[in-house]
Amino acid sequence: VVTNETIAPLYLDATVKALQEDNPELQVDSVVLPDGEQFKSVDTVMKVWDKALEARLGRDATMVALGGGVIGDMCGFAAAAYQRGCHFIQVPTTVMSMVDSSVGGKTGVNHPSGKNMIGAFYQPRCVFIDIDSLKTLQPRELSSGIAEIVKYGLIYDREFFEWQEENMEKLVECDPAVLTYAIKRSCEIKAEVVAEDEKEKGLRAILNLGHTFGHALETATGYTKLLHGEAVSIGMCMAAYMSSSLGWCDESIFYRTKALLQRANLPTDLSGSLGELDPNHLLSLMAVDKKAAAGKLRMILLQGELGNCVFTGDFDRDVLKATLAHYCDD
């Protein structure tokens, strides 16, 4: 069981007990990692491999990722590489990991030059979601996960976006029925997209709306000032603003996106404690984005009616620069 210092006191003993309930002889080992995006590195994953070797685990072992997106990504990568691949299971404990990172098989760690640059596509044997684990989730972490829920409506499902506009307060308050539907629908959308394009050759890239901007913001701020969903929230606003500036979508979509994210208690601009950000530095960080091809930056931008987007490298670079300048100046 791979978990972190925050989750271990809450759920590790219960998880081990559940695993051994019908098989008391089952060997269950655990490793507790430091908590935080800044620890999402090869050095941290090495602790998982060290424990696996110390416990003499074979290729028939199963690694259980108990935690949020950082734990899931690192555990999945550890499983993908350990003896060239052992089984792993996702047990997400945050909204972010339930609706996004636990589904689809993306695993990996960060590099000082960019987010998630080292990793593998490696599918879990199953994903087990228990929304009761969200009762201990901090409000800021809850909002961070909601950013990804908003994303699904923007890129794929207009009705889902409009449903969120009607139910955002209940979602923030963790109304069980509303929360369950939001998680279920988000997983359905992601599964549909991943089924068509597991290795992200084209369609799957739409799931990264706002992430090109967001990953650059996370890297520029040292992974310490923004939660992933907060960076994505700002990134989606920047992408919507840029799409509107290009004339690809009506500006009302930008304003609706910004308003919905604000109702989820998410940041929508670069104000606050982020410090001074240089648009040229952000542009250079975006240039090493994983979606780039043949040295050309490609982005997910909104196009047409709400619920539609496009993955393309054919856009006016001056509008991108103007978008970065606008947000950094603000």
Side-chain angles (χ1 to χ4, degrees):
V1 180
V2 181
T3 189
N4 64 34
E5 296 166 341
T6 301
I7 296 300
L10 298 170
Y11 302 119
L12 179 55
D13 288 347
T15 300
V16 172
K17 182 180 178 180
L19 289 169
Q20 294 180 320
E21 186 171 358
D22 293 328
N23 186 4
E25 302 303 314
L26 179 68
Q27 176 187 343
V28 180
D29 298 280
S30 62
V31 59
V32 179
L33 305 176
D35 186 14
E37 185 78 31
Q38 65 270 35
F39 299 109
K40 189 177 176 183
S41 66
V42 172
D43 287 343
T44 304
V45 173
M46 189 66 72
K47 299 178 189 297
V48 180
W49 294 322
D50 289 344
K51 183 67 176 183
L53 290 167
E54 176 189 318
R56 299 182 181 277
L57 300 183
R59 192 180 289 172
D60 59 345
T62 297
M63 293 187 182
V64 178
L66 175 65
V70 172
I71 284 295
D73 283 6
M74 290 197 293
C75 180
F77 182 50
Y82 185 68
Q83 296 191 14
R84 297 188 175 91
C86 68
H87 297 323
F88 92 106
I89 291 172
Q90 291 270 20
V91 185
T93 60
T94 65
V95 175
M96 172 68 70
S97 54
M98 289 179 183
V99 303
D100 185 60
S101 58
S102 69
V103 180
K106 279 188 177 181
T107 74
V109 296
N110 299 331
H111 185 276
S113 297
K115 185 177 170 73
N116 295 332
M117 283 295 164
I118 315 297
F121 289 99
Y122 196 67
Q123 296 292 347
R125 301 292 287 180
C126 70
V127 181
F128 180 80
I129 295 175
D130 181 354
I131 66 168
D132 281 347
S133 66
L134 300 178
K135 291 178 180 177
T136 56
L137 192 65
Q138 294 298 312
R140 187 182 172 199
E141 287 279 1
L142 174 69
S143 292
S144 178
I146 291 175
E148 296 284 359
I149 296 175
V150 172
K151 174 195 72 180
Y152 290 118
L154 273 175
I155 64 170
Y156 199 83
D157 188 340
R158 177 186 185 129
E159 291 183 358
F160 188 37
F161 187 91
E162 292 172 342
W163 175 87
Q164 291 175 56
E165 289 181 312
E166 295 173 3
N167 291 278
M168 183 53 72
E169 280 66 35
K170 291 181 180 179
L171 189 55
V172 171
E173 293 167 1
C174 288
D175 177 280
V178 171
L179 188 60
T180 298
Y181 176 74
I183 293 171
K184 177 176 178 289
R185 183 60 189 140
S186 297
C187 289
E188 288 172 346
I189 292 172
K190 183 157 190 181
E192 288 173 19
V193 173
V194 171
E196 293 291 323
D197 178 24
E198 181 184 3
K199 298 295 179 67
E200 198 168 271
K201 302 298 183 183
L203 177 64
R204 182 172 179 167
I206 70 171
L207 298 172
N208 290 299
L209 175 70
H211 287 58
T212 306
F213 288 115
H215 286 173
L217 292 171
E218 288 182 272
T219 304
T221 54
Y223 303 109
T224 59
K225 295 185 177 181
L226 289 167
L227 296 178
H228 176 61
E230 293 171 338
V232 169
S233 174
I234 299 170
M236 287 193 293
C237 286
M238 295 173 78
Y241 178 88
M242 179 175 167
S243 302
S244 174
S245 298
L246 287 164
W248 291 6
C249 73
D250 192 87
E251 66 176 359
S252 64
I253 295 177
F254 162 69
Y255 289 114
R256 289 173 70 183
T257 300
K258 182 176 179 179
L260 187 60
L261 291 167
Q262 288 175 337
R263 287 168 60 196
N265 302 317
L266 284 160
T268 56
D269 56 39
L270 302 182
S271 61
S273 59
L274 298 184
E276 190 171 334
L277 293 170
D278 177 13
N280 290 322
H281 179 51
L282 292 177
L283 187 61
S284 68
L285 292 173
M286 293 170 69
V288 296
D289 185 83
K290 296 181 295 300
K291 296 179 291 298
K296 185 177 184 180
L297 177 63
R298 298 185 296 174
M299 300 181 67
I300 298 87
L301 296 167
L302 303 178
Q303 188 175 61
E305 297 294 319
L306 179 65
N308 293 278
C309 64
V310 61
F311 175 44
T312 182
D314 295 325
F315 54 83
D316 188 336
R317 262 51 183 178
D318 288 337
V319 176
L320 169 58
K321 292 177 182 178
T323 298
L324 290 168
H326 171 76
Y327 275 84
C328 288
D329 288 346
D330 282 353

